[in-house]
Amino acid sequence: MAQTDLLDELAQWIPPERLLRQPAQLVPYESDALTAFRSRPAAVLLAATQEEVVQAVRFCHRAAIPFVARGSGTSLSGGSLPVQDGLVIALNRLNRILHLDPAQRIAVVEPGVINLAVSRAAAPYGLYYAPDPSSQQICTIGGNVAFNSGGAHCLKYGMTANHVLGLKVVLPDGEVVELGGASLEGVGPDWTGFFVGSEGLFGIALEITLRLLPKPALYRTVLAAYDSLEAAGDAVASIVAAGLLPGAMEIMDALAIEAAEAAVQAGYPRDAAALLIVELEGEPRQVEAEFAQLLQVVDRSHPRTLSVAKDDADRARIWKGRKSAFSAVGRLSPDYLVQDGVVPRSKLGAALAAIEQMSRRHALRVANVFHAGDGNLHPLILYDGRVDGELERAETLAGEILQLCIELGGSITGEHGVGVEKRQYMAALFAETDLAVMAELRRALDPGELANRGKMFPDGEAPALRAQGPHPLERLGLLSRE
Amino acid sequence: MSAPTAVAPSSTQELQEAVCACPQLAVRGGGSKPGLGPEQPAPVTLDLRRLSGLLEYDPGEFTFTARAGTPLKTVAATLAEHGQYLPFDPPWVDQGATLGGTVAAGLSGSGRYRYGGVRDFLLGVRFVDGQGRLVQGGGRVVKNAAGFDLPKLLVGSLGRLGVLAEVTFKVFPQPEQYTTLRLPQPSLDAALATLATLARSSFDLEALEWVEEEGRPVLYLRQGGLAAPLAERQAALRAWLGGGEPLAAADEARFWQDARELAWVPAGSLCAKVPLRLEQVAALDALLSTCGAPRRYCAGAAWAWVAWPAAAAELHRALSQLQLGGLLLKGQAPSPLLGLRSAPTLAARIKRVLDPFNRFPPL
Ligand SMILES: Cc1cc2nc3c(=O)[nH]c(=O)nc-3n(C[C@H](O)[C@H](O)[C@H](O)COP(=O)(O)OP(=O)(O)OC[C@H]3O[C@@H](n4cnc5c(N)ncnc54)[C@H](O)[C@@H]3O)c2cc1C
């Protein structure tokens, strides 16, 4: 194969233990956390330095070989799915925190740094990195940047883009550019913001300047159980109407509660139809005053039970249940698809009712865990890939949910990205002109469409859809659903 | 060349037609930032003031959509009726600044210290590019990760990549009440040290402004929130700082109102924004004080507002020497971007896509 010969050139300057080319070595990289898709690259480069990444991108550009950057491969939309016979540039080894400046409240990191490692490094200075995807113990900052990842605290503090001040990037044709800087403000177009969320199509981030925040002095975390999802949703609406701005407002349904309880014993009331987590944070006196208001509002929403985290350990337990929900629900079923649509907050109730109907119609269980404050749904569609036709049904259901989100005035993705999974829905969300302009912008940086080819745009090449199986990293024992 | 004309479209379609009809044009919103215009007036000025008005506002969603020519003042008044506000605190509200102009200039004000700048609150845009195409980016919901982030690309695009037609913003509930401490500093170094310690403290400040008063730095620390605990919160901050005088309520409101309007900038003076890191403040301040340039450092010295007493070209040279970039807002220069440029080659590539016929002024 011509591609293989070309890769021999790479082998001249990359030692074999960091240029994986044997089928057995490639298997763990064949898919990401969206296991329904699988595709085998020609090689995986385990990059050790920024310079190697730059050289590899230049090589791909010269040889017209498609490449995919890869962090921890936890993308839920097939974002890090390899291009068949292309090159995967794995960035986990670029995991240094290069600089941490508490006075300026920034950290400059390499792309392979794990999300949680930033907060750990900042903790001695009383600072932390706010975006907290549930996968934060394993996902990388590079992946977060590519997907503009979110978490439970987006309403108040925004997504990844709101916390990235500067970038050093190798564009798909090998040019290295510096965007933004260490200041909160800039002049001229916001190139940094434009790069964040580009899903690997604008090249590879080599260095990322992150904004850190002072750790809140006090948290107040409330756990309220309801007899219906609707009642929990109404409570969220009244909290907003009261003028409160909690750091987080999360809802889980009965199936998600059951799964989380079985997995991590978070102490959730097991018989509730819906659970609402609300967290206030900030200066103690302000938080206590808001807390008094919050309790009144929640009390009026007739929860079945209402409890408050007593201490840090209690708070950690509540969040552990929420953050392990995806993987916990995964234990209830051999396979699952996670959706990530957004609806206006006022349409949450309507959306959930419609999803429940769809679930019945397709005879597939759907668990709901969602960022209620943002209207960001996460329906988890449970299926068994070994049963004929179940994957296809799950895909149809997922598509109907996305269509619903578009009809309700929302979006097909709040934080997991378009990837391969949702690209055919882009045409329903955006007009032809919008997509044409985006494609032109992409080609201005990547005329050969080499960087993460086949993602985000509706007309990309379709990879093979496979039926089943755990995540390849799971099979190797590197990723667990616990 | 014929005398410059003004075209004032009143619909998105008229806007598209106007762009297609003019080989060279410049955009004008409320006219509060004349420095952003081209040095030689373009043959046609697109006046966006008729593209005005709120299109959608549901307070429960914390979002609104408005036409780009809508004055900030109108927006602020409508939001205030529902106890909400624009947390990034854009400048020149009273001088008639519009939403579109604020986005295109990429401007935030003192209040950006607490939650973020205009880039952080802009959710969606509709704009007309240099080929007359109406393009939509982002969305109308508070969270959206679909497609490239065109809204961020338009933030700070200075009317050089496209003409904004519609914008969607996230908003927040406004603090019920505010208080401010005035904290004089013995020296520049002391002021910098105070900023550095505050950065790591867990006090939630709404704004942190550094003002030059009689040759000494004075810090203004604004707190906001529920009325009941506010006095105690201020007392705690004061104890922690070891000093500071509370401003009387009326002075407090006036101080931040004046800050928003940049009322301290002498009439007719040039005015520029200069983004900064803490370690760059001393060098810039030395230059400005030598030149007798009035200045303020905003949001914990994330940037300086500079009232420049001489020609723009000199400021451009001085900033280049200090390895700083700046944006000229009042005054005239060959380009409003002064000093160091960010990502010039990338800028050129993107400009070719959105404005291939160079209808808009050069970026
Ligand atoms: C259990 C679980 C829970 C999750 N919870 C959340 C959540 O709460 N919120 C959320 O937003 N997401 C969540 N995710 C999704 C996922 O973790 C995020 O999308 C994450 O940002 C991916 O990081 P990664 O390092 O695994 O990137 P990968 O999956 O390896 O890559 C993701 C994308 O980024 C690109 N990329 C990687 N590095 C770079 C780089 N340096 N430069 C340019 N492009 C690059 C890749 O090409 C790919 O397109 C969850 C996933 C799992 C499995």
mmCIF file with all atom_site columns, all heavy atoms in Angstrom, chain B residues 49 91 94 104 250 297 309:
data_model
loop_
_atom_site.group_PDB
_atom_site.id
_atom_site.type_symbol
_atom_site.label_atom_id
_atom_site.label_alt_id
_atom_site.label_comp_id
_atom_site.label_asym_id
_atom_site.label_entity_id
_atom_site.label_seq_id
_atom_site.pdbx_PDB_ins_code
_atom_site.Cartn_x
_atom_site.Cartn_y
_atom_site.Cartn_z
_atom_site.occupancy
_atom_site.B_iso_or_equiv
_atom_site.pdbx_formal_charge
_atom_site.auth_seq_id
_atom_site.auth_comp_id
_atom_site.auth_asym_id
_atom_site.auth_atom_id
_atom_site.pdbx_PDB_model_num
ATOM 1  N N   . ARG B 1 49  ? -27.873 51.903 12.292 1.00 0.00 ? 49  ARG B N   1
ATOM 2  C CA  . ARG B 1 49  ? -28.768 52.289 13.383 1.00 0.00 ? 49  ARG B CA  1
ATOM 3  C C   . ARG B 1 49  ? -30.235 51.933 13.147 1.00 0.00 ? 49  ARG B C   1
ATOM 4  O O   . ARG B 1 49  ? -31.011 51.837 14.080 1.00 0.00 ? 49  ARG B O   1
ATOM 5  C CB  . ARG B 1 49  ? -28.619 53.786 13.682 1.00 0.00 ? 49  ARG B CB  1
ATOM 6  C CG  . ARG B 1 49  ? -27.385 54.054 14.549 1.00 0.00 ? 49  ARG B CG  1
ATOM 7  C CD  . ARG B 1 49  ? -27.122 55.503 14.734 1.00 0.00 ? 49  ARG B CD  1
ATOM 8  N NE  . ARG B 1 49  ? -26.779 56.139 13.472 1.00 0.00 ? 49  ARG B NE  1
ATOM 9  C CZ  . ARG B 1 49  ? -26.462 57.427 13.351 1.00 0.00 ? 49  ARG B CZ  1
ATOM 10 N NH1 . ARG B 1 49  ? -26.469 58.202 14.420 1.00 0.00 ? 49  ARG B NH1 1
ATOM 11 N NH2 . ARG B 1 49  ? -26.149 57.939 12.182 1.00 0.00 ? 49  ARG B NH2 1
ATOM 12 N N   . PRO B 1 91  ? -18.576 49.346 27.417 1.00 0.00 ? 91  PRO B N   1
ATOM 13 C CA  . PRO B 1 91  ? -18.401 50.784 27.607 1.00 0.00 ? 91  PRO B CA  1
ATOM 14 C C   . PRO B 1 91  ? -19.275 51.637 26.682 1.00 0.00 ? 91  PRO B C   1
ATOM 15 O O   . PRO B 1 91  ? -19.797 51.149 25.689 1.00 0.00 ? 91  PRO B O   1
ATOM 16 C CB  . PRO B 1 91  ? -16.925 50.994 27.284 1.00 0.00 ? 91  PRO B CB  1
ATOM 17 C CG  . PRO B 1 91  ? -16.562 49.898 26.354 1.00 0.00 ? 91  PRO B CG  1
ATOM 18 C CD  . PRO B 1 91  ? -17.440 48.731 26.721 1.00 0.00 ? 91  PRO B CD  1
ATOM 19 N N   . ASP B 1 94  ? -23.942 55.372 27.350 1.00 0.00 ? 94  ASP B N   1
ATOM 20 C CA  . ASP B 1 94  ? -24.615 56.666 27.182 1.00 0.00 ? 94  ASP B CA  1
ATOM 21 C C   . ASP B 1 94  ? -24.219 57.369 25.886 1.00 0.00 ? 94  ASP B C   1
ATOM 22 O O   . ASP B 1 94  ? -24.957 58.193 25.368 1.00 0.00 ? 94  ASP B O   1
ATOM 23 C CB  . ASP B 1 94  ? -24.308 57.596 28.367 1.00 0.00 ? 94  ASP B CB  1
ATOM 24 C CG  . ASP B 1 94  ? -25.184 57.249 29.558 1.00 0.00 ? 94  ASP B CG  1
ATOM 25 O OD1 . ASP B 1 94  ? -26.139 56.457 29.367 1.00 0.00 ? 94  ASP B OD1 1
ATOM 26 O OD2 . ASP B 1 94  ? -24.909 57.739 30.670 1.00 0.00 ? 94  ASP B OD2 1
ATOM 27 N N   . ALA B 1 104 ? -18.044 43.867 17.436 1.00 0.00 ? 104 ALA B N   1
ATOM 28 C CA  . ALA B 1 104 ? -17.028 44.062 16.405 1.00 0.00 ? 104 ALA B CA  1
ATOM 29 C C   . ALA B 1 104 ? -15.751 44.655 16.995 1.00 0.00 ? 104 ALA B C   1
ATOM 30 O O   . ALA B 1 104 ? -14.651 44.348 16.558 1.00 0.00 ? 104 ALA B O   1
ATOM 31 C CB  . ALA B 1 104 ? -17.568 44.953 15.302 1.00 0.00 ? 104 ALA B CB  1
ATOM 32 N N   . ALA B 1 250 ? -24.117 57.028 46.523 1.00 0.00 ? 250 ALA B N   1
ATOM 33 C CA  . ALA B 1 250 ? -24.266 57.838 45.310 1.00 0.00 ? 250 ALA B CA  1
ATOM 34 C C   . ALA B 1 250 ? -22.931 57.949 44.573 1.00 0.00 ? 250 ALA B C   1
ATOM 35 O O   . ALA B 1 250 ? -22.879 57.864 43.341 1.00 0.00 ? 250 ALA B O   1
ATOM 36 C CB  . ALA B 1 250 ? -24.778 59.226 45.668 1.00 0.00 ? 250 ALA B CB  1
ATOM 37 N N   . TYR B 1 297 ? -6.256  51.116 34.613 1.00 0.00 ? 297 TYR B N   1
ATOM 38 C CA  . TYR B 1 297 ? -6.061  49.684 34.411 1.00 0.00 ? 297 TYR B CA  1
ATOM 39 C C   . TYR B 1 297 ? -7.309  48.964 34.915 1.00 0.00 ? 297 TYR B C   1
ATOM 40 O O   . TYR B 1 297 ? -7.717  49.146 36.059 1.00 0.00 ? 297 TYR B O   1
ATOM 41 C CB  . TYR B 1 297 ? -4.814  49.203 35.151 1.00 0.00 ? 297 TYR B CB  1
ATOM 42 C CG  . TYR B 1 297 ? -3.571  49.948 34.689 1.00 0.00 ? 297 TYR B CG  1
ATOM 43 C CD1 . TYR B 1 297 ? -3.065  51.017 35.425 1.00 0.00 ? 297 TYR B CD1 1
ATOM 44 C CD2 . TYR B 1 297 ? -2.947  49.604 33.500 1.00 0.00 ? 297 TYR B CD2 1
ATOM 45 C CE1 . TYR B 1 297 ? -1.955  51.721 34.980 1.00 0.00 ? 297 TYR B CE1 1
ATOM 46 C CE2 . TYR B 1 297 ? -1.837  50.305 33.049 1.00 0.00 ? 297 TYR B CE2 1
ATOM 47 C CZ  . TYR B 1 297 ? -1.344  51.365 33.798 1.00 0.00 ? 297 TYR B CZ  1
ATOM 48 O OH  . TYR B 1 297 ? -0.262  52.063 33.341 1.00 0.00 ? 297 TYR B OH  1
ATOM 49 N N   . PRO B 1 309 ? -2.024  61.664 24.420 1.00 0.00 ? 309 PRO B N   1
ATOM 50 C CA  . PRO B 1 309 ? -2.030  63.096 24.113 1.00 0.00 ? 309 PRO B CA  1
ATOM 51 C C   . PRO B 1 309 ? -1.367  63.446 22.773 1.00 0.00 ? 309 PRO B C   1
ATOM 52 O O   . PRO B 1 309 ? -1.440  64.587 22.341 1.00 0.00 ? 309 PRO B O   1
ATOM 53 C CB  . PRO B 1 309 ? -1.220  63.704 25.264 1.00 0.00 ? 309 PRO B CB  1
ATOM 54 C CG  . PRO B 1 309 ? -0.324  62.597 25.734 1.00 0.00 ? 309 PRO B CG  1
ATOM 55 C CD  . PRO B 1 309 ? -0.988  61.305 25.406 1.00 0.00 ? 309 PRO B CD  1
#
